[in-house]
Amino acid sequence: MPCKKCKDGKVKWGNTGSCEYDTIAECEEANKDYYEKTTSIVELVINDDSQELAIDAISLVSSPAIEQDFVFFGKEKNNLTFAKVDEEKRMLVSPALIPNKQIFRYDPNTDSEYYVYFSPDTVKKASELYLKHNNHHKATYEHQDRVSGVLTVESWIKEGKQDKSKLYGYDLPNGTWFVKMKIENDELWNKIKDGELKGLSIEGYFTDKMEKMSEREPTDQEILEALNEIINENQTNSK
């Protein structure tokens, strides 16, 4: 398991480790031998047959997989820096997906550990499908229970150095998908204010790119090109 932030700000190794490290870097250094065993990196893509499920919901979680906390603001607390923020209530801003960010995964069925990532094109496509299929009102708590009173009111992809995400204190790559959410659920808002919930994590259905390519039927053009390569190779070898 990777290094994870604890509620007290410390860092622990995996789910059962003690909160003994000050930073993620310190935790990773102390456990580098274990980290080196994890080498598989998998690109995830959107399956054309299930585009409506690409991003089924956004979950409010205590340990976001992309390791980026959201910022929130309301009448009681303002941790942003621009003037209009105190006019808003019960809002939070967060990255939903960061392109090429490696995300740790563990498969209990095979007892294997690996990383997944999303290309900039997949991140952009996922953000578009999320709105296209009206999933902006779907949210869960810790990837479990569906919750009400959570609505995505704004969604955008970062483009350039002057992107408005800078106003919220973020310095993330171009192509990052950001969302702004209104929280009308009292219980969830209190958990956000208390620091129990720290970020967002997507829920959806994606495909291993290599598996998808191996399952796809080749086109006539691809078959023709492959045959031409074989013929050219045979002609070269016969000379």
Side-chain angles (χ1 to χ4, degrees):
M1 294 296 170
C3 297
K4 296 183 177 181
K5 290 183 179 179
C6 304
K7 292 182 179 180
D8 61 0
K10 291 281 190 176
V11 178
K12 66 179 180 178
W13 174 256
N15 293 322
T16 59
S18 58
C19 301
E20 58 182 309
Y21 304 104
D22 293 326
T23 64
I24 289 180
E26 181 184 344
C27 174
E28 290 179 346
E29 176 63 23
N31 297 276
K32 62 182 180 180
D33 291 340
Y34 190 85
Y35 253 92
E36 290 173 354
K37 296 178 182 178
T38 305
T39 57
S40 179
I41 301 175
V42 177
E43 179 183 354
L44 296 183
V45 296
I46 295 172
N47 193 323
D48 294 335
D49 296 331
S50 57
Q51 290 191 0
E52 71 279 5
L53 300 175
I55 303 293
D56 184 51
I58 293 180
S59 189
L60 289 91
V61 297
S62 57
S63 298
I66 58 173
E67 299 177 339
Q68 287 286 331
D69 297 350
F70 50 58
V71 293
F72 70 93
F73 48 94
K75 183 178 180 181
E76 299 86 355
K77 183 175 180 179
N78 172 13
N79 64 348
L80 299 183
T81 57
F82 59 105
K84 293 183 179 180
V85 76
D86 57 4
E87 300 175 7
E88 306 284 355
K89 296 180 181 179
R90 294 196 174 196
M91 295 283 191
L92 63 83
V93 174
S94 176
L97 275 180
I98 302 173
N100 299 320
K101 170 73 175 180
Q102 293 183 9
I103 304 170
F104 179 84
R105 285 290 179 263
Y106 172 71
D107 185 350
N109 295 321
T110 60
D111 191 29
S112 60
E113 299 174 346
Y114 58 101
Y115 287 89
V116 300
Y117 74 95
F118 301 89
S119 71
D121 287 342
T122 299
V123 171
K124 186 174 187 297
K125 187 175 182 180
S127 70
E128 293 170 349
L129 292 172
Y130 172 71
L131 296 179
K132 178 181 178 180
H133 295 287
N134 295 316
N135 290 330
H136 59 285
H137 63 285
K138 295 181 180 180
T140 64
Y141 169 67
E142 294 287 8
H143 290 295
Q144 296 178 9
D145 302 325
R146 184 64 61 90
V147 293
S148 60
V150 178
L151 180 68
T152 298
V153 297
E154 196 171 342
S155 171
W156 76 93
I157 298 292
K158 179 183 176 181
E159 297 179 352
K161 295 181 179 180
Q162 302 305 316
D163 187 81
K164 61 184 173 182
S165 59
K166 290 277 190 177
L167 297 173
Y168 299 96
Y170 290 110
D171 186 17
L172 293 172
N174 287 338
T176 296
W177 174 25
F178 284 94
V179 293
K180 184 176 185 180
M181 307 183 82
K182 184 172 181 61
I183 313 297
E184 296 181 330
N185 185 304
D186 293 339
E187 182 179 358
L188 289 179
W189 185 248
N190 287 330
K191 290 180 183 295
I192 291 170
K193 290 194 303 178
D194 293 341
E196 181 177 338
L197 295 177
K198 297 181 179 296
L200 304 180
S201 185
I202 64 166
E203 293 185 2
Y205 296 87
F206 297 88
T207 305
D208 180 328
K209 183 177 182 180
M210 296 305 295
E211 289 182 1
K212 181 180 180 181
M213 291 177 66
S214 66
E215 294 172 356
R216 181 174 60 86
E217 289 292 334
T219 65
D220 292 341
Q221 181 64 30
E222 289 172 335
I223 294 174
L224 181 60
E225 290 176 355
L227 289 173
N228 285 333
E229 288 181 6
I230 294 173
I231 293 172
N232 291 334
E233 183 178 349
N234 289 336
Q235 289 176 342
T236 301
N237 293 335
S238 63
K239 292 180 179 179

